[in-house]
Amino acid sequence: MHSSYFAIVAANGQSPVGELVLSEGVSAWLFHIKFWEAINSYCQTDFSEYEEETLTTSMISYALGTLQDIKERTDSSSYDISEFRYGWSGDGKELICRVDNETISRELGPLIDMLKTAQDAHLDLYCQL
C-alpha cells in the first residue's frame, strides 16, 4: 500500500500546474472500490497499482463525474469506517486497511478540484498510482 501522486501536465514541458498526493489508505480504497477499473473499462486504458499513467483531456470528464458520484455516496454513507483487504502478508495473513470516510471525503475534494482545473484548462493529469 502506498500513496498516489497526481500532477496537472503543463503545456510545453513547463512545471506542473498543480500537484496532489493521496494517502496510502485512500489510494488503496480507490482500487478497492474499483474506481480505476471503471476508468480502464470506459476509456480503454490500463491504470494499475504501482504504475504511471496519464488521464488525457478526453478521459477527465468521465473520471470527474465518476469521482463526484463516489464522493457523494461516501458523504451520505451511514458508515464511519471503510475496511477492506488490500493484500496478504508473507505468512498468508490478510492485510486489512481501515480508513475513515471523513478522510476519504477530505482527500477526494481536492482531487475533484484538480480534475476540474485540468478539464477547464484542457490539460492532462499525470497519475502515479
Side-chain angles (χ1 to χ4, degrees):
M1 203 166 62
H2 63 282
S3 58
S4 294
Y5 169 79
F6 300 89
I8 297 175
V9 179
N12 304 324
Q14 299 173 359
S15 297
V17 175
E19 299 175 294
L20 175 73
V21 176
L22 291 183
S23 68
E24 294 174 348
V26 175
S27 296
W29 180 80
L30 283 172
F31 279 100
H32 169 71
I33 65 162
K34 304 196 182 306
F35 169 72
W36 294 111
E37 187 176 301
I39 300 298
N40 288 338
S41 178
Y42 185 83
C43 299
Q44 300 300 301
T45 58
D46 189 22
F47 285 89
S48 302
E49 270 188 286
Y50 309 106
E51 298 290 334
E52 299 175 22
E53 279 290 341
T54 300
L55 271 173
T56 62
T57 54
S58 63
M59 300 174 192
I60 287 176
S61 178
Y62 178 78
L64 177 59
T66 302
L67 205 56
Q68 287 172 321
D69 290 345
I70 289 167
K71 184 176 184 311
E72 287 176 17
R73 285 194 309 271
T74 302
D75 289 346
S76 64
S77 173
S78 60
Y79 297 101
D80 293 333
I81 303 281
S82 290
E83 181 177 293
F84 56 94
R85 179 179 37 83
Y86 68 92
W88 302 94
S89 68
D91 59 357
K93 294 183 182 173
E94 289 185 327
L95 299 174
I96 303 296
C97 179
R98 291 173 187 83
V99 60
D100 63 270
N101 286 349
E102 183 178 317
T103 298
I104 293 169
S105 183
R106 186 177 63 243
E107 290 191 30
L108 290 185
L111 182 55
I112 288 168
D113 291 343
M114 180 176 261
L115 285 165
K116 287 178 185 174
T117 299
Q119 182 179 45
D120 292 346
H122 305 286
L123 294 172
D124 296 340
L125 185 70
Y126 168 78
C127 309
Q128 187 176 15
L129 310 174

